[in-house]
Every structure is written in C-alpha cells, then in structure tokens.
C-alpha cells in the first residue's frame, strides 16, 4: 500500500482519469463479487480485471471491505416503490426476472451477494437490503396479524425465485418471464398480504390487472 509520502511524490492525476479508474474498479468488483463471492475475490483479481495497480484500490476505497460495501450497494430500479400498491409485488418480481442486472453479472444483486454470505459483513448487507427494500414495504401493505412474518415469507419466496433462476438454473423458472408468473404472483401475494394484489404492473406507471 502506498504511504502518504509516496502519494505526495506522485504526479497529480486529472480528476476525470481518477473518476474513470474508480468507476472501472467498481464495475470489475461488482462482477467478481457477484460471480465468486467476497472471500474468493482478491484485490489483485479486481485490479487485474481493471488493468490497474492494486494499490489504487486502497487509495480510492481504503480497503477491500469498503470496496465491497460500495460495489454491492443496489441502485433500485426507478419506480419500484412507487405506483399502485396492489402492483408492488409484481414490480418486485419483475426486477428479479426482467430487469437488466448486467453490471452485477446478470443476476439480481441480492442473489449475487448470497455468494458472499459466509462473510459477516456480506450477511449484514443482505439483511439490510432485504429488510429495507422488501420486507418493510410489504409489511406496510399486509393486513391482519403476523404482518412481519408474512412479509418475510413473501420476500423469501421472491429471493428463492432468483436463486432457482440464476444459481440452480431450474428449466421452467430460468425461461419464465414476469408475464408467465403473473397469475401465481397474484395468488401468492394476495394470500400472504391478505388483500387483493395484481400479478402484473404497467411499465409506464399506470394500472394494470390480472
């Protein structure tokens, strides 16, 4: 790792080049962590994939852990938590089966992070992402008793869809699109949330029904 004196002697790097290098490191880190997990990925792997020296990872991110935290932060698809409440589960399922997650190796980032679940920091990130993004929103929709439990069950079902599609590769789910799952999404979501739920969601933000 470079010392402060070493860095002080190095020529200044234009801001645009620093930002481009940092973005390239993040992109490489997302793919490596998604495909191989935290423990199996080294900073040298990421640096080699980016075509830079490994010392730049410590200069720009401080540590492998900080790089992982930033690389695994999920940018939610626009409108996921907006729009008609009865379409929320359908929108969530659509992010699992139809959204373009190329920068996370083609998988939903929560599924990708499961490869790092042996690491406590990764488990914390998964827990935070699942609770903040899915469980809390579904709990607020649930009617009747055991709202938290039913929200977690529905979240587990959606994560399971992602695992079977991209990790296990079961044939029917791997080929299915959101429209194929629509009637089942409506049935499961309606039953677990205790209120009528749609199996489809209008991509333009309007209302649609199954």
């Amino acid at each position: 790792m470079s010392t402060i004196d070493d860095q002080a002697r190095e020529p200044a790097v234009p801001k645009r080049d620093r930002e481009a290098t940092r973005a390239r490191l993040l992109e490489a880190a997302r793919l490596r962590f998604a495909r191989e997990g935290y423990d199996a990925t080294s900073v040298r792997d990421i640096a080699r994939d980016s075509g830079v020296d490994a010392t730049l990872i410590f200069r720009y991110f401080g540590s492998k852990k900080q790089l992982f935290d930033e690389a695994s932060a999920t940018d939610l698809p626009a409108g996921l938590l907006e729009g008609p409440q009865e379409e929320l589960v359908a929108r969530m399922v659509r992010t699992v089966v139809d959204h373009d997650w190329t920068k996370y190796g083609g998988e939903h980032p929560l599924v990708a992070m499961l490869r790092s679940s042996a690491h406590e920091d990764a488990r914390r990130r998964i827990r935070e992402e699942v609770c903040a993004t899915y469980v809390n929103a579904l709990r607020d929709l649930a009617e009747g008793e055991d709202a938290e439990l039913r929200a977690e069950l529905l979240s587990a079902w959606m994560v399971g869809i992602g695992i079977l599609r991209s990790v296990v590769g079961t044939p029917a789910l791997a080929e299915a699109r959101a429209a194929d799952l629509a009637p089942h999404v409506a049935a499961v979501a309606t039953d677990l949330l205790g209120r009528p739920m749609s199996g489809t969601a209008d991509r333009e933000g309007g209302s649609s029904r199954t």
Side-chain angles (χ1 to χ4, degrees), residues 23-46:
R24 200 158 66 244
L25 285 166
L26 276 173
E27 180 180 4
R30 286 190 191 100
L31 290 174
R32 277 282 181 175
F33 289 134
R35 292 170 179 167
E36 301 177 17
Y38 183 91
D39 290 328
T41 297
S42 71
V43 294
R44 291 185 181 278
D45 292 331
I46 296 168

mmCIF file with all atom_site columns, all heavy atoms in Angstrom, residues 23-46:
data_model
loop_
_atom_site.group_PDB
_atom_site.id
_atom_site.type_symbol
_atom_site.label_atom_id
_atom_site.label_alt_id
_atom_site.label_comp_id
_atom_site.label_asym_id
_atom_site.label_entity_id
_atom_site.label_seq_id
_atom_site.pdbx_PDB_ins_code
_atom_site.Cartn_x
_atom_site.Cartn_y
_atom_site.Cartn_z
_atom_site.occupancy
_atom_site.B_iso_or_equiv
_atom_site.pdbx_formal_charge
_atom_site.auth_seq_id
_atom_site.auth_comp_id
_atom_site.auth_asym_id
_atom_site.auth_atom_id
_atom_site.pdbx_PDB_model_num
ATOM 1   N N   . ALA A 1 23 ? -14.503 4.180   -11.379 1.00 0.00 ? 23 ALA A N   1
ATOM 2   C CA  . ALA A 1 23 ? -15.691 3.533   -11.951 1.00 0.00 ? 23 ALA A CA  1
ATOM 3   C C   . ALA A 1 23 ? -15.332 2.165   -12.521 1.00 0.00 ? 23 ALA A C   1
ATOM 4   O O   . ALA A 1 23 ? -16.107 1.201   -12.391 1.00 0.00 ? 23 ALA A O   1
ATOM 5   C CB  . ALA A 1 23 ? -16.289 4.421   -13.029 1.00 0.00 ? 23 ALA A CB  1
ATOM 6   N N   . ARG A 1 24 ? -14.166 2.052   -13.134 1.00 0.00 ? 24 ARG A N   1
ATOM 7   C CA  . ARG A 1 24 ? -13.733 0.775   -13.706 1.00 0.00 ? 24 ARG A CA  1
ATOM 8   C C   . ARG A 1 24 ? -13.489 -0.252  -12.602 1.00 0.00 ? 24 ARG A C   1
ATOM 9   O O   . ARG A 1 24 ? -13.831 -1.433  -12.751 1.00 0.00 ? 24 ARG A O   1
ATOM 10  C CB  . ARG A 1 24 ? -12.458 1.006   -14.534 1.00 0.00 ? 24 ARG A CB  1
ATOM 11  C CG  . ARG A 1 24 ? -12.179 -0.081  -15.548 1.00 0.00 ? 24 ARG A CG  1
ATOM 12  C CD  . ARG A 1 24 ? -11.279 0.404   -16.658 1.00 0.00 ? 24 ARG A CD  1
ATOM 13  N NE  . ARG A 1 24 ? -9.937  0.724   -16.191 1.00 0.00 ? 24 ARG A NE  1
ATOM 14  C CZ  . ARG A 1 24 ? -9.409  1.944   -16.221 1.00 0.00 ? 24 ARG A CZ  1
ATOM 15  N NH1 . ARG A 1 24 ? -10.103 2.973   -16.676 1.00 0.00 ? 24 ARG A NH1 1
ATOM 16  N NH2 . ARG A 1 24 ? -8.175  2.154   -15.792 1.00 0.00 ? 24 ARG A NH2 1
ATOM 17  N N   . LEU A 1 25 ? -12.911 0.182   -11.501 1.00 0.00 ? 25 LEU A N   1
ATOM 18  C CA  . LEU A 1 25 ? -12.689 -0.715  -10.361 1.00 0.00 ? 25 LEU A CA  1
ATOM 19  C C   . LEU A 1 25 ? -14.017 -1.188  -9.769  1.00 0.00 ? 25 LEU A C   1
ATOM 20  O O   . LEU A 1 25 ? -14.167 -2.368  -9.423  1.00 0.00 ? 25 LEU A O   1
ATOM 21  C CB  . LEU A 1 25 ? -11.854 -0.009  -9.294  1.00 0.00 ? 25 LEU A CB  1
ATOM 22  C CG  . LEU A 1 25 ? -10.363 0.135   -9.596  1.00 0.00 ? 25 LEU A CG  1
ATOM 23  C CD1 . LEU A 1 25 ? -9.716  1.137   -8.645  1.00 0.00 ? 25 LEU A CD1 1
ATOM 24  C CD2 . LEU A 1 25 ? -9.655  -1.214  -9.512  1.00 0.00 ? 25 LEU A CD2 1
ATOM 25  N N   . LEU A 1 26 ? -14.979 -0.288  -9.648  1.00 0.00 ? 26 LEU A N   1
ATOM 26  C CA  . LEU A 1 26 ? -16.290 -0.676  -9.116  1.00 0.00 ? 26 LEU A CA  1
ATOM 27  C C   . LEU A 1 26 ? -16.970 -1.689  -10.025 1.00 0.00 ? 26 LEU A C   1
ATOM 28  O O   . LEU A 1 26 ? -17.572 -2.658  -9.554  1.00 0.00 ? 26 LEU A O   1
ATOM 29  C CB  . LEU A 1 26 ? -17.180 0.560   -8.957  1.00 0.00 ? 26 LEU A CB  1
ATOM 30  C CG  . LEU A 1 26 ? -17.018 1.357   -7.675  1.00 0.00 ? 26 LEU A CG  1
ATOM 31  C CD1 . LEU A 1 26 ? -17.833 2.648   -7.739  1.00 0.00 ? 26 LEU A CD1 1
ATOM 32  C CD2 . LEU A 1 26 ? -17.438 0.528   -6.462  1.00 0.00 ? 26 LEU A CD2 1
ATOM 33  N N   . GLU A 1 27 ? -16.887 -1.466  -11.320 1.00 0.00 ? 27 GLU A N   1
ATOM 34  C CA  . GLU A 1 27 ? -17.506 -2.394  -12.271 1.00 0.00 ? 27 GLU A CA  1
ATOM 35  C C   . GLU A 1 27 ? -16.878 -3.778  -12.168 1.00 0.00 ? 27 GLU A C   1
ATOM 36  O O   . GLU A 1 27 ? -17.579 -4.797  -12.128 1.00 0.00 ? 27 GLU A O   1
ATOM 37  C CB  . GLU A 1 27 ? -17.360 -1.851  -13.689 1.00 0.00 ? 27 GLU A CB  1
ATOM 38  C CG  . GLU A 1 27 ? -17.975 -2.742  -14.753 1.00 0.00 ? 27 GLU A CG  1
ATOM 39  C CD  . GLU A 1 27 ? -17.813 -2.188  -16.155 1.00 0.00 ? 27 GLU A CD  1
ATOM 40  O OE1 . GLU A 1 27 ? -17.155 -1.135  -16.306 1.00 0.00 ? 27 GLU A OE1 1
ATOM 41  O OE2 . GLU A 1 27 ? -18.329 -2.803  -17.102 1.00 0.00 ? 27 GLU A OE2 1
ATOM 42  N N   . ALA A 1 28 ? -15.538 -3.817  -12.118 1.00 0.00 ? 28 ALA A N   1
ATOM 43  C CA  . ALA A 1 28 ? -14.851 -5.103  -12.000 1.00 0.00 ? 28 ALA A CA  1
ATOM 44  C C   . ALA A 1 28 ? -15.167 -5.779  -10.674 1.00 0.00 ? 28 ALA A C   1
ATOM 45  O O   . ALA A 1 28 ? -15.337 -7.006  -10.602 1.00 0.00 ? 28 ALA A O   1
ATOM 46  C CB  . ALA A 1 28 ? -13.341 -4.891  -12.134 1.00 0.00 ? 28 ALA A CB  1
ATOM 47  N N   . ALA A 1 29 ? -15.252 -4.981  -9.602  1.00 0.00 ? 29 ALA A N   1
ATOM 48  C CA  . ALA A 1 29 ? -15.548 -5.539  -8.278  1.00 0.00 ? 29 ALA A CA  1
ATOM 49  C C   . ALA A 1 29 ? -16.945 -6.139  -8.244  1.00 0.00 ? 29 ALA A C   1
ATOM 50  O O   . ALA A 1 29 ? -17.152 -7.220  -7.674  1.00 0.00 ? 29 ALA A O   1
ATOM 51  C CB  . ALA A 1 29 ? -15.403 -4.458  -7.212  1.00 0.00 ? 29 ALA A CB  1
ATOM 52  N N   . ARG A 1 30 ? -17.936 -5.445  -8.818  1.00 0.00 ? 30 ARG A N   1
ATOM 53  C CA  . ARG A 1 30 ? -19.300 -5.981  -8.838  1.00 0.00 ? 30 ARG A CA  1
ATOM 54  C C   . ARG A 1 30 ? -19.340 -7.351  -9.498  1.00 0.00 ? 30 ARG A C   1
ATOM 55  O O   . ARG A 1 30 ? -19.962 -8.292  -8.997  1.00 0.00 ? 30 ARG A O   1
ATOM 56  C CB  . ARG A 1 30 ? -20.233 -5.024  -9.590  1.00 0.00 ? 30 ARG A CB  1
ATOM 57  C CG  . ARG A 1 30 ? -20.592 -3.769  -8.839  1.00 0.00 ? 30 ARG A CG  1
ATOM 58  C CD  . ARG A 1 30 ? -21.695 -3.009  -9.549  1.00 0.00 ? 30 ARG A CD  1
ATOM 59  N NE  . ARG A 1 30 ? -21.864 -1.686  -8.963  1.00 0.00 ? 30 ARG A NE  1
ATOM 60  C CZ  . ARG A 1 30 ? -21.374 -0.576  -9.490  1.00 0.00 ? 30 ARG A CZ  1
ATOM 61  N NH1 . ARG A 1 30 ? -20.687 -0.626  -10.625 1.00 0.00 ? 30 ARG A NH1 1
ATOM 62  N NH2 . ARG A 1 30 ? -21.569 0.581   -8.884  1.00 0.00 ? 30 ARG A NH2 1
ATOM 63  N N   . LEU A 1 31 ? -18.669 -7.471  -10.634 1.00 0.00 ? 31 LEU A N   1
ATOM 64  C CA  . LEU A 1 31 ? -18.687 -8.741  -11.362 1.00 0.00 ? 31 LEU A CA  1
ATOM 65  C C   . LEU A 1 31 ? -17.961 -9.838  -10.587 1.00 0.00 ? 31 LEU A C   1
ATOM 66  O O   . LEU A 1 31 ? -18.453 -10.965 -10.489 1.00 0.00 ? 31 LEU A O   1
ATOM 67  C CB  . LEU A 1 31 ? -18.053 -8.553  -12.742 1.00 0.00 ? 31 LEU A CB  1
ATOM 68  C CG  . LEU A 1 31 ? -18.865 -7.728  -13.731 1.00 0.00 ? 31 LEU A CG  1
ATOM 69  C CD1 . LEU A 1 31 ? -18.062 -7.488  -15.005 1.00 0.00 ? 31 LEU A CD1 1
ATOM 70  C CD2 . LEU A 1 31 ? -20.177 -8.420  -14.069 1.00 0.00 ? 31 LEU A CD2 1
ATOM 71  N N   . ARG A 1 32 ? -16.801 -9.525  -10.017 1.00 0.00 ? 32 ARG A N   1
ATOM 72  C CA  . ARG A 1 32 ? -16.033 -10.529 -9.266  1.00 0.00 ? 32 ARG A CA  1
ATOM 73  C C   . ARG A 1 32 ? -16.784 -10.986 -8.021  1.00 0.00 ? 32 ARG A C   1
ATOM 74  O O   . ARG A 1 32 ? -16.908 -12.191 -7.764  1.00 0.00 ? 32 ARG A O   1
ATOM 75  C CB  . ARG A 1 32 ? -14.678 -9.949  -8.862  1.00 0.00 ? 32 ARG A CB  1
ATOM 76  C CG  . ARG A 1 32 ? -13.627 -10.023 -9.929  1.00 0.00 ? 32 ARG A CG  1
ATOM 77  C CD  . ARG A 1 32 ? -13.041 -11.407 -10.033 1.00 0.00 ? 32 ARG A CD  1
ATOM 78  N NE  . ARG A 1 32 ? -12.004 -11.471 -11.056 1.00 0.00 ? 32 ARG A NE  1
ATOM 79  C CZ  . ARG A 1 32 ? -11.257 -12.548 -11.285 1.00 0.00 ? 32 ARG A CZ  1
ATOM 80  N NH1 . ARG A 1 32 ? -11.435 -13.638 -10.553 1.00 0.00 ? 32 ARG A NH1 1
ATOM 81  N NH2 . ARG A 1 32 ? -10.365 -12.557 -12.227 1.00 0.00 ? 32 ARG A NH2 1
ATOM 82  N N   . PHE A 1 33 ? -17.287 -10.038 -7.231  1.00 0.00 ? 33 PHE A N   1
ATOM 83  C CA  . PHE A 1 33 ? -18.011 -10.402 -6.017  1.00 0.00 ? 33 PHE A CA  1
ATOM 84  C C   . PHE A 1 33 ? -19.273 -11.193 -6.353  1.00 0.00 ? 33 PHE A C   1
ATOM 85  O O   . PHE A 1 33 ? -19.639 -12.125 -5.638  1.00 0.00 ? 33 PHE A O   1
ATOM 86  C CB  . PHE A 1 33 ? -18.371 -9.156  -5.216  1.00 0.00 ? 33 PHE A CB  1
ATOM 87  C CG  . PHE A 1 33 ? -17.201 -8.488  -4.546  1.00 0.00 ? 33 PHE A CG  1
ATOM 88  C CD1 . PHE A 1 33 ? -17.035 -7.104  -4.607  1.00 0.00 ? 33 PHE A CD1 1
ATOM 89  C CD2 . PHE A 1 33 ? -16.261 -9.231  -3.844  1.00 0.00 ? 33 PHE A CD2 1
ATOM 90  C CE1 . PHE A 1 33 ? -15.963 -6.489  -3.979  1.00 0.00 ? 33 PHE A CE1 1
ATOM 91  C CE2 . PHE A 1 33 ? -15.177 -8.632  -3.212  1.00 0.00 ? 33 PHE A CE2 1
ATOM 92  C CZ  . PHE A 1 33 ? -15.027 -7.245  -3.287  1.00 0.00 ? 33 PHE A CZ  1
ATOM 93  N N   . ALA A 1 34 ? -19.948 -10.812 -7.436  1.00 0.00 ? 34 ALA A N   1
ATOM 94  C CA  . ALA A 1 34 ? -21.177 -11.498 -7.822  1.00 0.00 ? 34 ALA A CA  1
ATOM 95  C C   . ALA A 1 34 ? -20.907 -12.934 -8.253  1.00 0.00 ? 34 ALA A C   1
ATOM 96  O O   . ALA A 1 34 ? -21.653 -13.857 -7.907  1.00 0.00 ? 34 ALA A O   1
ATOM 97  C CB  . ALA A 1 34 ? -21.876 -10.743 -8.954  1.00 0.00 ? 34 ALA A CB  1
ATOM 98  N N   . ARG A 1 35 ? -19.838 -13.137 -8.991  1.00 0.00 ? 35 ARG A N   1
ATOM 99  C CA  . ARG A 1 35 ? -19.558 -14.469 -9.537  1.00 0.00 ? 35 ARG A CA  1
ATOM 100 C C   . ARG A 1 35 ? -18.840 -15.382 -8.554  1.00 0.00 ? 35 ARG A C   1
ATOM 101 O O   . ARG A 1 35 ? -19.052 -16.600 -8.562  1.00 0.00 ? 35 ARG A O   1
ATOM 102 C CB  . ARG A 1 35 ? -18.703 -14.336 -10.805 1.00 0.00 ? 35 ARG A CB  1
ATOM 103 C CG  . ARG A 1 35 ? -19.432 -13.687 -11.969 1.00 0.00 ? 35 ARG A CG  1
ATOM 104 C CD  . ARG A 1 35 ? -18.465 -13.366 -13.092 1.00 0.00 ? 35 ARG A CD  1
ATOM 105 N NE  . ARG A 1 35 ? -19.146 -12.773 -14.235 1.00 0.00 ? 35 ARG A NE  1
ATOM 106 C CZ  . ARG A 1 35 ? -18.518 -12.177 -15.246 1.00 0.00 ? 35 ARG A CZ  1
ATOM 107 N NH1 . ARG A 1 35 ? -17.204 -12.095 -15.255 1.00 0.00 ? 35 ARG A NH1 1
ATOM 108 N NH2 . ARG A 1 35 ? -19.213 -11.656 -16.240 1.00 0.00 ? 35 ARG A NH2 1
ATOM 109 N N   . GLU A 1 36 ? -17.969 -14.808 -7.693  1.00 0.00 ? 36 GLU A N   1
ATOM 110 C CA  . GLU A 1 36 ? -17.095 -15.646 -6.869  1.00 0.00 ? 36 GLU A CA  1
ATOM 111 C C   . GLU A 1 36 ? -17.270 -15.444 -5.372  1.00 0.00 ? 36 GLU A C   1
ATOM 112 O O   . GLU A 1 36 ? -16.789 -16.262 -4.591  1.00 0.00 ? 36 GLU A O   1
ATOM 113 C CB  . GLU A 1 36 ? -15.641 -15.397 -7.269  1.00 0.00 ? 36 GLU A CB  1
ATOM 114 C CG  . GLU A 1 36 ? -15.367 -15.713 -8.732  1.00 0.00 ? 36 GLU A CG  1
ATOM 115 C CD  . GLU A 1 36 ? -13.944 -15.394 -9.147  1.00 0.00 ? 36 GLU A CD  1
ATOM 116 O OE1 . GLU A 1 36 ? -13.090 -15.237 -8.256  1.00 0.00 ? 36 GLU A OE1 1
ATOM 117 O OE2 . GLU A 1 36 ? -13.685 -15.305 -10.356 1.00 0.00 ? 36 GLU A OE2 1
ATOM 118 N N   . GLY A 1 37 ? -17.928 -14.376 -4.960  1.00 0.00 ? 37 GLY A N   1
ATOM 119 C CA  . GLY A 1 37 ? -18.097 -14.109 -3.542  1.00 0.00 ? 37 GLY A CA  1
ATOM 120 C C   . GLY A 1 37 ? -16.949 -13.304 -2.965  1.00 0.00 ? 37 GLY A C   1
ATOM 121 O O   . GLY A 1 37 ? -15.901 -13.121 -3.595  1.00 0.00 ? 37 GLY A O   1
ATOM 122 N N   . TYR A 1 38 ? -17.149 -12.840 -1.741  1.00 0.00 ? 38 TYR A N   1
ATOM 123 C CA  . TYR A 1 38 ? -16.191 -11.937 -1.091  1.00 0.00 ? 38 TYR A CA  1
ATOM 124 C C   . TYR A 1 38 ? -14.853 -12.626 -0.825  1.00 0.00 ? 38 TYR A C   1
ATOM 125 O O   . TYR A 1 38 ? -13.788 -12.121 -1.189  1.00 0.00 ? 38 TYR A O   1
ATOM 126 C CB  . TYR A 1 38 ? -16.789 -11.421 0.221   1.00 0.00 ? 38 TYR A CB  1
ATOM 127 C CG  . TYR A 1 38 ? -15.917 -10.426 0.947   1.00 0.00 ? 38 TYR A CG  1
ATOM 128 C CD1 . TYR A 1 38 ? -16.052 -9.060  0.709   1.00 0.00 ? 38 TYR A CD1 1
ATOM 129 C CD2 . TYR A 1 38 ? -14.970 -10.845 1.880   1.00 0.00 ? 38 TYR A CD2 1
ATOM 130 C CE1 . TYR A 1 38 ? -15.246 -8.134  1.374   1.00 0.00 ? 38 TYR A CE1 1
ATOM 131 C CE2 . TYR A 1 38 ? -14.163 -9.931  2.545   1.00 0.00 ? 38 TYR A CE2 1
ATOM 132 C CZ  . TYR A 1 38 ? -14.311 -8.573  2.284   1.00 0.00 ? 38 TYR A CZ  1
ATOM 133 O OH  . TYR A 1 38 ? -13.518 -7.680  2.942   1.00 0.00 ? 38 TYR A OH  1
ATOM 134 N N   . ASP A 1 39 ? -14.890 -13.775 -0.165  1.00 0.00 ? 39 ASP A N   1
ATOM 135 C CA  . ASP A 1 39 ? -13.639 -14.410 0.267   1.00 0.00 ? 39 ASP A CA  1
ATOM 136 C C   . ASP A 1 39 ? -12.801 -14.907 -0.900  1.00 0.00 ? 39 ASP A C   1
ATOM 137 O O   . ASP A 1 39 ? -11.572 -14.918 -0.821  1.00 0.00 ? 39 ASP A O   1
ATOM 138 C CB  . ASP A 1 39 ? -13.938 -15.568 1.229   1.00 0.00 ? 39 ASP A CB  1
ATOM 139 C CG  . ASP A 1 39 ? -14.445 -15.077 2.574   1.00 0.00 ? 39 ASP A CG  1
ATOM 140 O OD1 . ASP A 1 39 ? -14.025 -13.976 3.006   1.00 0.00 ? 39 ASP A OD1 1
ATOM 141 O OD2 . ASP A 1 39 ? -15.277 -15.766 3.196   1.00 0.00 ? 39 ASP A OD2 1
ATOM 142 N N   . ALA A 1 40 ? -13.439 -15.340 -1.977  1.00 0.00 ? 40 ALA A N   1
ATOM 143 C CA  . ALA A 1 40 ? -12.698 -15.886 -3.118  1.00 0.00 ? 40 ALA A CA  1
ATOM 144 C C   . ALA A 1 40 ? -12.166 -14.799 -4.042  1.00 0.00 ? 40 ALA A C   1
ATOM 145 O O   . ALA A 1 40 ? -11.402 -15.090 -4.967  1.00 0.00 ? 40 ALA A O   1
ATOM 146 C CB  . ALA A 1 40 ? -13.584 -16.846 -3.907  1.00 0.00 ? 40 ALA A CB  1
ATOM 147 N N   . THR A 1 41 ? -12.547 -13.571 -3.798  1.00 0.00 ? 41 THR A N   1
ATOM 148 C CA  . THR A 1 41 ? -12.107 -12.457 -4.642  1.00 0.00 ? 41 THR A CA  1
ATOM 149 C C   . THR A 1 41 ? -10.987 -11.685 -3.946  1.00 0.00 ? 41 THR A C   1
ATOM 150 O O   . THR A 1 41 ? -11.120 -11.307 -2.789  1.00 0.00 ? 41 THR A O   1
ATOM 151 C CB  . THR A 1 41 ? -13.280 -11.494 -4.925  1.00 0.00 ? 41 THR A CB  1
ATOM 152 O OG1 . THR A 1 41 ? -14.286 -12.196 -5.664  1.00 0.00 ? 41 THR A OG1 1
ATOM 153 C CG2 . THR A 1 41 ? -12.818 -10.293 -5.735  1.00 0.00 ? 41 THR A CG2 1
ATOM 154 N N   . SER A 1 42 ? -9.901  -11.463 -4.644  1.00 0.00 ? 42 SER A N   1
ATOM 155 C CA  . SER A 1 42 ? -8.790  -10.693 -4.085  1.00 0.00 ? 42 SER A CA  1
ATOM 156 C C   . SER A 1 42 ? -8.724  -9.323  -4.752  1.00 0.00 ? 42 SER A C   1
ATOM 157 O O   . SER A 1 42 ? -9.236  -9.120  -5.860  1.00 0.00 ? 42 SER A O   1
ATOM 158 C CB  . SER A 1 42 ? -7.459  -11.423 -4.302  1.00 0.00 ? 42 SER A CB  1
ATOM 159 O OG  . SER A 1 42 ? -7.086  -11.386 -5.666  1.00 0.00 ? 42 SER A OG  1
ATOM 160 N N   . VAL A 1 43 ? -8.077  -8.386  -4.063  1.00 0.00 ? 43 VAL A N   1
ATOM 161 C CA  . VAL A 1 43 ? -7.916  -7.057  -4.658  1.00 0.00 ? 43 VAL A CA  1
ATOM 162 C C   . VAL A 1 43 ? -7.056  -7.141  -5.913  1.00 0.00 ? 43 VAL A C   1
ATOM 163 O O   . VAL A 1 43 ? -7.231  -6.346  -6.850  1.00 0.00 ? 43 VAL A O   1
ATOM 164 C CB  . VAL A 1 43 ? -7.325  -6.058  -3.647  1.00 0.00 ? 43 VAL A CB  1
ATOM 165 C CG1 . VAL A 1 43 ? -8.291  -5.806  -2.509  1.00 0.00 ? 43 VAL A CG1 1
ATOM 166 C CG2 . VAL A 1 43 ? -5.974  -6.532  -3.111  1.00 0.00 ? 43 VAL A CG2 1
ATOM 167 N N   . ARG A 1 44 ? -6.161  -8.102  -5.963  1.00 0.00 ? 44 ARG A N   1
ATOM 168 C CA  . ARG A 1 44 ? -5.336  -8.269  -7.161  1.00 0.00 ? 44 ARG A CA  1
ATOM 169 C C   . ARG A 1 44 ? -6.182  -8.714  -8.349  1.00 0.00 ? 44 ARG A C   1
ATOM 170 O O   . ARG A 1 44 ? -5.943  -8.294  -9.488  1.00 0.00 ? 44 ARG A O   1
ATOM 171 C CB  . ARG A 1 44 ? -4.205  -9.271  -6.901  1.00 0.00 ? 44 ARG A CB  1
ATOM 172 C CG  . ARG A 1 44 ? -3.151  -8.764  -5.927  1.00 0.00 ? 44 ARG A CG  1
ATOM 173 C CD  . ARG A 1 44 ? -1.990  -9.737  -5.797  1.00 0.00 ? 44 ARG A CD  1
ATOM 174 N NE  . ARG A 1 44 ? -0.999  -9.263  -4.853  1.00 0.00 ? 44 ARG A NE  1
ATOM 175 C CZ  . ARG A 1 44 ? -0.053  -8.380  -5.119  1.00 0.00 ? 44 ARG A CZ  1
ATOM 176 N NH1 . ARG A 1 44 ? 0.035   -7.872  -6.350  1.00 0.00 ? 44 ARG A NH1 1
ATOM 177 N NH2 . ARG A 1 44 ? 0.802   -8.005  -4.188  1.00 0.00 ? 44 ARG A NH2 1
ATOM 178 N N   . ASP A 1 45 ? -7.162  -9.594  -8.091  1.00 0.00 ? 45 ASP A N   1
ATOM 179 C CA  . ASP A 1 45 ? -8.078  -10.010 -9.160  1.00 0.00 ? 45 ASP A CA  1
ATOM 180 C C   . ASP A 1 45 ? -8.792  -8.798  -9.752  1.00 0.00 ? 45 ASP A C   1
ATOM 181 O O   . ASP A 1 45 ? -8.881  -8.633  -10.968 1.00 0.00 ? 45 ASP A O   1
ATOM 182 C CB  . ASP A 1 45 ? -9.136  -10.984 -8.628  1.00 0.00 ? 45 ASP A CB  1
ATOM 183 C CG  . ASP A 1 45 ? -8.554  -12.327 -8.224  1.00 0.00 ? 45 ASP A CG  1
ATOM 184 O OD1 . ASP A 1 45 ? -7.537  -12.731 -8.814  1.00 0.00 ? 45 ASP A OD1 1
ATOM 185 O OD2 . ASP A 1 45 ? -9.136  -12.969 -7.324  1.00 0.00 ? 45 ASP A OD2 1
ATOM 186 N N   . ILE A 1 46 ? -9.339  -7.970  -8.871  1.00 0.00 ? 46 ILE A N   1
ATOM 187 C CA  . ILE A 1 46 ? -10.100 -6.805  -9.302  1.00 0.00 ? 46 ILE A CA  1
ATOM 188 C C   . ILE A 1 46 ? -9.208  -5.827  -10.043 1.00 0.00 ? 46 ILE A C   1
ATOM 189 O O   . ILE A 1 46 ? -9.591  -5.274  -11.088 1.00 0.00 ? 46 ILE A O   1
ATOM 190 C CB  . ILE A 1 46 ? -10.771 -6.135  -8.087  1.00 0.00 ? 46 ILE A CB  1
ATOM 191 C CG1 . ILE A 1 46 ? -11.791 -7.094  -7.452  1.00 0.00 ? 46 ILE A CG1 1
ATOM 192 C CG2 . ILE A 1 46 ? -11.449 -4.826  -8.492  1.00 0.00 ? 46 ILE A CG2 1
ATOM 193 C CD1 . ILE A 1 46 ? -12.302 -6.648  -6.099  1.00 0.00 ? 46 ILE A CD1 1
#
